[in-house]
Amino acid sequence: MSTDPHLEPTGRPDPTVQGAYAAHGELPRNDTVSFEARDIKVHSIYWYLIALTISVAASFFVCVYVLRYTERLVSRRDPQMMPARAAMGPDYRTLPPEPRLQGVPGHDADPQQDHRDKVRADNEANEKYGWVDQNAGIAQIPVKEAMKIIAQKGLLATPPAAPEKK
């Protein structure tokens, strides 16, 4: 767009040109100058947003219709529920049949506590004194004590292996 004022050859503004445009309230027009009256056409953006909203809503309703149609189709083709399964009640899908693994819903035992109890029982069994068979002279002693005895006395000599049969 031209920023030069309309000047006469003498360098003064032409009063007839400015007066004519001032009377109509228009900007001066020149064939060598081109400009857009507006840079952005807002109404086209609004039409695009309206069309986008309508297409998203329409696709949503199409998806809902397809989902309901496929659910009905599958429910008609599914085999009837077995009587044993129907007797389990409405939450037969939430709980697996017995015996259940620890930690699944509906199981009261805590697997971590069960593990801690088992480790404690094993440690207590390894640390106690007692008779396994008193008549044969077999006793149970703690593992640390048994290791000390073996370190002091050594292992008993093992009998030689039986000769191989030919």
Side-chain angles (χ1 to χ4, degrees):
M1 180 162 100
S2 175
T3 58
D4 295 334
H6 297 280
L7 300 176
E8 290 184 12
T10 59
R12 293 191 312 248
D14 184 5
T16 58
V17 172
Q18 288 182 355
Y21 289 113
H24 296 292
E26 297 179 12
L27 294 175
R29 297 180 191 231
N30 191 338
D31 293 338
T32 61
V33 178
S34 64
F35 63 93
E36 294 184 23
R38 215 172 192 180
D39 289 339
I40 299 174
K41 298 195 186 309
V42 179
H43 70 277
S44 63
I45 293 174
Y46 289 145
W47 281 112
Y48 172 75
L49 290 176
I50 290 170
L52 181 65
T53 303
I54 291 170
S55 64
V56 166
S59 64
F60 172 74
F61 289 117
V62 167
C63 289
V64 168
Y65 172 74
V66 168
L67 177 66
R68 289 184 180 166
Y69 173 75
T70 54
E71 282 179 345
R72 281 195 305 264
L73 181 69
V74 168
S75 67
R76 277 186 260 142
R77 292 186 179 191
D78 274 350
Q80 292 294 323
M81 187 184 305
M82 297 185 314
R85 194 59 92 151
M88 291 177 73
D91 48 288
Y92 73 94
R93 293 180 192 233
T94 58
L95 297 176
E98 291 287 344
R100 295 187 186 110
L101 296 175
Q102 290 178 324
V104 297
H107 198 278
D108 296 331
D110 179 21
Q112 285 83 18
Q113 185 61 42
D114 288 347
H115 177 69
R116 289 189 291 269
D117 293 343
K118 173 70 171 138
V119 168
R120 186 180 328 106
D122 288 346
N123 287 338
E124 289 173 0
N126 286 337
E127 297 296 325
K128 73 177 186 177
Y129 292 91
W131 287 103
V132 175
D133 186 3
Q134 191 171 8
N135 294 335
I138 301 173
Q140 175 182 346
I141 61 173
V143 175
K144 290 181 182 179
E145 296 295 324
M147 290 172 62
K148 287 179 188 176
I149 293 171
I150 290 174
Q152 289 173 356
K153 296 183 180 179
L155 287 175
L156 299 175
T158 56
E164 292 184 25
K165 294 184 181 179
K166 292 185 182 180

